[in-house]
Amino acid sequence: MNKDFMQEEPRSVVKDKYYITVQTLDYFGSRVDHIDLMVDRGSVANAGDYIQLFKQRYDVDAELKNVSPYMEFKVISPKPKGIRQITVIKIAKDFTYQPITKI
């Protein structure tokens, strides 16, 4: 079987920077964090980008629970007294960010 058609096309090296405000809910209460998210230029952040960001930042596996009015993510198997839910409150693009490109 020829697997040439299954190869991914090369991803863009130029990224846009977004500031994301998230609220994490755990055993002790809630906390608000501000996180940077890098997305390929010309594309929009999707649920998969958020799940990957939460995996890197908080070391949890999450799934999309609700979209309206805020994106809410439920942690699949939370640690005892760990994060149970993550809510994306706000996302804003950083227009001052200038990516460094090599020639």
Side-chain angles (χ1 to χ4, degrees):
M1 181 175 172
N2 188 2
K3 295 187 179 185
D4 292 335
F5 66 93
M6 295 176 62
Q7 294 179 1
E8 289 186 27
E9 44 186 77
R11 298 195 74 175
S12 170
V13 294
V14 179
K15 306 268 186 185
D16 286 332
K17 184 176 182 180
Y18 289 90
Y19 292 117
I20 299 173
T21 304
V22 297
Q23 179 183 16
T24 56
L25 182 66
D26 60 2
Y27 180 78
F28 298 108
S30 64
R31 181 174 122 184
V32 175
D33 292 324
H34 304 284
I35 306 172
D36 297 339
L37 175 66
M38 303 298 281
V39 179
D40 289 338
R41 170 124 338 141
S43 64
V44 179
N46 57 25
D49 294 330
Y50 291 116
I51 291 170
Q52 185 179 17
L53 178 69
F54 300 149
K55 178 72 175 171
Q56 292 173 357
R57 174 73 181 217
Y58 300 115
D59 194 29
V60 296
D61 290 324
E63 65 183 3
L64 186 61
K65 176 180 165 185
N66 193 7
V67 178
S68 179
Y70 301 112
M71 289 182 77
E72 294 178 357
F73 294 88
K74 176 184 170 188
V75 176
I76 296 173
S77 51
K79 298 173 185 168
K81 298 186 180 180
I83 296 174
R84 308 240 183 261
Q85 179 178 331
I86 303 170
T87 306
V88 177
I89 298 174
K90 182 174 69 171
I91 181 168
K93 184 174 182 178
D94 182 11
F95 289 102
T96 62
Y97 176 70
Q98 295 294 324
I100 300 171
T101 56
K102 294 182 180 180
I103 297 177

